Amino acid sequence: MRLTNDWQAAIRVIEKIEKSGYEAVIVGGAVRDTLLQKQVNDVDVATSAMPEEIKKIFHSTVDIGIAHGTVLVLDEGQPIEVTTYRTEGIYVDFRRPEQVTFVKSLEKDLERRDFTINAMAMTKSGELIDLYGGRKDIESGLIRAVGDPNTRFREDALRMLRAVRFSAQLGFTIESKTLSAIQQDSDLIEFIAKERLHMELTKMWTTNKVYDGINVLVESKLADYLMGDFHKYLEDWRYFSATSALVGWAYLCLLNREHLGEIINYYKLSNKEKNFIRNVLNAYQSLLNRWNELDYFQYDLETLEVAYDFAIWQKEKVPFRKEHIALVKSNLPIQSIGQLAINGNHLKDWASQKGGPWLKVALDAALLAVLKGQIKNDEKHLKDWFLNEFNDEG
Ligand code: ATP
Ligand code: MG
């Protein structure tokens, strides 16, 4: 096993905790991804020590979720999340509780985890603790609830959407009893805070199997209780692929553009997401009428390329290749408005007039003429154009 820096830092954290007389192991996603020989992102540590004890053992810690027993340890170079063994106590309204109960045994901690593949632990020397057959399910590519699936989904209904997300992320199948339970309980997803739905879908958009994920979302009936029509637009997702989650949100919005406002509100999209969506949807609309120089100028390359992909996925006819976009954009006479040789003050001088709506019209016309290569971008040529041609036209 090749040890990443994170994993090595986690081992040092575990050694220190053990020296103080407590247990500690690596848990959750890191163990799963190691068995899958996938890149491990965050290495989480679980321990029998209480959060206060962890804060005594390490000099530098941050309370990132003390109510849930999580302390971030910074001592060992890489930040490592250390969480006290816990159960989740009482579930109200099918949601994960705000408060948790700390327990002394790792078994209890693993029992509260959602899926067998996520419920394994590993000691610092790499010994696997697998109480629920997680390794076997990894080998068979199965997402299986720990314990009775209906009970687990009624405790925390988000787990149903997590099953779909993990199936897309890992290319796994949801085991049949787990899938039936989701189909039975799918309506409970309506109780879940929209921020948590947002988090899971955000993770899904950058997986390799988004189309498969949407398919399972429909098959599991979760789609019936989520905003957006996944059933009707299933085939539109077939070629979708993205390295940024923003693209997933934008595509969902494009497909459901008749309910754009509702989608944005329901999933509580951020300002960054909203701006990206607005730009891409506008660029997409312009593309259908053929982009002009102003479009190439005003949208950044990413926006243009995403709008282009959308058009392809939507089977729109686009009469040029994607590489063409960067080429056209880089060949524009200017790249930003600051590079235009004149500004509003020049125009006001030349016209001997105060500012007003005419000014924006004239500046836009100058910009477009420069972008189209009709006028050279210097003061003299622009002045000639303004005094002789623009005024005549306007
Ligand atoms: P990723 O690599 O996508 O972050 P992960 O397995 O680390 O995957 P997280 O959402 O970060 O997923 O959760 C960490 C671990 O906490 C999971 O592996 C699982 O054991 C447990 N877990 C997270 N959310 C839940 C939940 N809603 N119910 C039960 N256990 C959960
Ligand atoms: Mg994680």
Side-chain angles (χ1 to χ4, degrees), residues 283-292 296 307-309 311-312 315-325 328:
Y284 176 83
Q285 207 50 52
S286 310
L287 174 58
L288 301 187
N289 308 317
R290 198 75 208 258
W291 284 330
N292 63 20
Y296 282 103
Y308 181 95
D309 287 340
I312 299 294
K315 306 205 163 57
E316 295 288 347
K317 288 210 171 58
V318 196
F320 56 89
R321 286 151 54 97
K322 196 171 172 183
E323 296 77 54
H324 182 77
I325 304 173
V328 173

Side-chain angles (χ1 to χ4, degrees), residues 5 44 75 82 110 115 265 281 289 304 313 316 325:
N5 291 341
D44 297 327
D75 285 26
V82 178
L110 295 178
F115 304 109
N265 289 336
L281 266 51
N289 308 317
L304 294 167
W313 299 335
E316 295 288 347
I325 304 173

Side-chain angles (χ1 to χ4, degrees), residues 194-250:
K194 304 300 177 276
E195 290 83 351
R196 297 181 75 203
L197 302 181
H198 182 273
M199 240 153 45
E200 291 303 323
L201 287 175
T202 289
K203 287 194 174 180
M204 190 160 96
W205 302 140
T206 52
T207 64
N208 289 329
K209 308 254 178 188
V210 175
Y211 171 73
D212 293 355
I214 305 279
N215 210 349
V216 181
L217 207 58
V218 172
E219 189 192 0
S220 67
K221 300 195 191 304
L222 283 170
D224 297 354
Y225 301 95
L226 292 173
M227 182 64 71
D229 199 330
F230 294 95
H231 192 220
K232 182 168 157 196
Y233 299 118
L234 174 62
E235 283 311 311
D236 295 270
W237 290 94
R238 186 173 283 276
Y239 302 107
F240 177 91
S241 111
T243 49
S244 153
L246 291 171
V247 179
W249 289 113

Side-chain angles (χ1 to χ4, degrees), residues 22 47-58 61-73 82-86 100 102-104:
Y22 303 99
T47 180
S48 60
M50 295 297 277
E52 296 312 316
E53 291 158 340
I54 293 299
K55 286 163 71 173
K56 275 186 220 150
I57 297 172
F58 297 94
T61 61
V62 185
D63 290 355
I64 54 168
I66 210 86
H68 290 96
T70 304
V71 173
L72 190 70
V73 171
V82 178
T83 305
T84 304
Y85 296 160
R86 59 181 172 84
V100 302
F102 298 127
V103 293
K104 279 291 154 199

Side-chain angles (χ1 to χ4, degrees), residues 182-197:
I182 300 179
Q183 289 165 333
Q184 288 159 21
D185 289 337
S186 52
D187 58 324
L188 302 183
I189 200 71
E190 292 187 319
F191 286 89
I192 295 305
K194 304 300 177 276
E195 290 83 351
R196 297 181 75 203
L197 302 181

Side-chain angles (χ1 to χ4, degrees), residues 137-203:
D137 284 339
I138 282 192
E139 282 161 8
S140 331
L142 287 176
I143 315 272
R144 183 199 308 271
V146 172
D148 174 60
N150 288 105
T151 309
R152 302 310 310 283
F153 297 145
R154 286 169 197 172
E155 286 171 359
D156 178 4
L158 183 74
R159 290 169 185 159
M160 300 187 290
L161 185 59
R162 285 173 59 83
V164 174
R165 188 262 285 187
F166 282 115
S167 81
Q169 188 169 320
L170 306 173
F172 280 23
T173 309
I174 302 179
E175 174 274 330
S176 66
K177 284 196 185 117
T178 302
L179 181 63
S180 311
I182 300 179
Q183 289 165 333
Q184 288 159 21
D185 289 337
S186 52
D187 58 324
L188 302 183
I189 200 71
E190 292 187 319
F191 286 89
I192 295 305
K194 304 300 177 276
E195 290 83 351
R196 297 181 75 203
L197 302 181
H198 182 273
M199 240 153 45
E200 291 303 323
L201 287 175
T202 289
K203 287 194 174 180

Side-chain angles (χ1 to χ4, degrees), residues 84-142:
T84 304
Y85 296 160
R86 59 181 172 84
T87 59
E88 302 209 315
I90 298 152
Y91 299 84
V92 185
D93 283 351
F94 317 108
R95 300 167 198 231
R96 211 172 179 185
E98 294 293 311
Q99 287 297 324
V100 302
T101 311
F102 298 127
V103 293
K104 279 291 154 199
S105 89
L106 173 63
E107 285 73 17
K108 283 273 167 237
D109 182 273
L110 295 178
E111 196 179 13
R112 60 123 178 136
R113 293 176 185 267
D114 46 8
F115 304 109
T116 60
I117 58 169
N118 289 343
M120 291 178 283
M122 208 173 250
T123 65
K124 66 173 191 290
S125 50
E127 185 195 334
L128 186 69
I129 301 163
D130 177 16
L131 307 177
Y132 303 100
R135 190 215 291 257
K136 203 168 123 272
D137 284 339
I138 282 192
E139 282 161 8
S140 331
L142 287 176

